[in-house]
Amino acid sequence: QVQLVESGGGLVQPGGSLRLSCVASGSMLTLNAMNWYRQAPGQQRELVAAITSDFSTNYADSVKGRFTISRDNAKKAVYLQMNSLKPEDTAVYYCNVGVTDFRFRNVNYWGKGTLVTVSS
């Protein structure tokens, strides 16, 4: 089993910045793609940013140029630097990671989410 612990959410004014962190722990052979999703009230969960094991990144159009995803494999961590935040970025942000376990199965895990509120 793998556990994901997210941190860094909170209340920020429009134009401000936040940095989300997600640390994985538990039994895994490899840590594969690491992603951030978000879900706003009444909306479907959407992919915000993704980073592969070889550090290729992908972003939703709505956050390109404002958000940056990064990872630290030694710490089994993924980060989301969010700049120039807008009220429409308000959502619960979820960490999502893919791992290969010691039975060579690819398993996907979700964090519990961290709330980001952008408001004046």
Side-chain angles (χ1 to χ4, degrees):
Q1 285 291 323
V2 171
Q3 295 77 42
L4 301 177
V5 178
E6 300 135 325
S7 61
L11 174 64
V12 63
Q13 291 187 342
S17 298
L18 282 175
R19 185 179 190 237
L20 305 183
S21 300
C22 173
V23 179
S25 62
S27 177
M28 66 190 83
L29 182 61
T30 63
L31 189 56
N32 305 324
M34 306 181 81
N35 312 300
W36 285 100
Y37 284 77
R38 68 185 180 187
Q39 187 167 19
Q43 304 293 320
Q44 289 189 335
R45 192 172 296 189
E46 64 172 350
L47 178 65
V48 175
I51 185 166
T52 65
S53 56
D54 61 357
F55 299 92
S56 295
T57 59
N58 190 37
Y59 297 93
D61 288 343
S62 59
V63 306
K64 282 181 181 176
R66 300 188 298 121
F67 290 10
T68 302
I69 190 170
S70 60
R71 63 189 285 166
D72 184 330
N73 289 334
K75 296 181 179 179
K76 298 180 181 177
V78 61
Y79 308 99
L80 186 68
Q81 178 66 44
M82 305 185 294
N83 298 329
S84 302
L85 282 160
K86 304 175 181 180
E88 51 263 43
D89 294 317
T90 296
V92 177
Y93 285 71
Y94 297 91
C95 176
N96 168 262
V97 304
V99 305
T100 301
D101 66 16
F102 286 96
R103 295 184 180 181
F104 300 99
R105 299 174 300 186
N106 293 321
V107 185
N108 202 255
Y109 292 94
W110 290 89
K112 294 182 178 180
T114 184
L115 177 62
V116 171
T117 303
V118 185
S119 175
S120 55

